[in-house]
Amino acid sequence: SSETFWTTTGMFPQEFIIGFPKCVKISKVAIQCYLVRTLRIERSVSKDPVDFEECIEKDLQHTEGQLQMEEFPLPDFQATYLRFIIKSAFDHFVSVHRVMAEGT
């Protein structure tokens, strides 16, 4: 539900990690968020959430009063864990409403 969300505590960077039951092949990641300026996505193929490597970093467009919706195509991409790092924001607090990963 886009009515529920995770919010930051006010200082940056902020991060959260999503884990999969095993290493999966991901073709696309999408995120719905609010007031995020710079977002980095990292991956780990380890059994534990360690040894992350940067996959993509992007400056998002500011959309006043609307959720930001960004899609990241990731061809031939495998991960056991995804780490999302919000490096900077357009305000003191940001929110993440939905993260979607497509693949097999």
Side-chain angles (χ1 to χ4, degrees):
S1 169
S2 62
E3 299 299 315
T4 60
F5 55 88
W6 172 82
T7 188
T8 62
T9 56
M11 304 267 308
F12 295 95
Q14 295 271 318
E15 66 180 57
F16 61 93
I17 296 173
I18 295 175
F20 300 101
K22 61 180 181 175
C23 191
V24 295
K25 188 171 184 177
I26 299 172
S27 58
K28 178 173 70 172
V29 171
I31 188 168
Q32 289 181 345
C33 52
Y34 188 62
L35 296 174
V36 173
R37 183 186 300 262
T38 305
L39 175 69
R40 177 192 293 165
I41 301 174
E42 299 178 344
R43 72 166 178 171
S44 171
V45 293
S46 300
K47 186 176 179 182
D48 297 311
V50 295
D51 300 327
F52 283 92
E53 62 184 66
E54 182 178 338
C55 302
I56 193 161
E57 185 171 316
K58 185 174 182 182
D59 290 328
L60 281 61
Q61 294 281 39
H62 180 48
T63 54
E64 186 64 41
Q66 296 180 344
L67 290 179
Q68 298 160 292
M69 291 177 247
E70 291 290 329
E71 289 188 355
F72 304 95
L74 300 167
D76 300 321
F77 183 85
Q78 292 187 346
T80 309
Y81 296 93
L82 292 177
R83 178 163 59 186
F84 294 78
I85 302 172
I86 300 168
K87 294 181 67 178
S88 62
F90 292 105
D91 202 344
H92 297 293
F93 300 94
V94 306
S95 57
V96 176
H97 294 256
R98 178 174 287 171
V99 175
M100 296 165 282
E102 291 183 12
T104 56

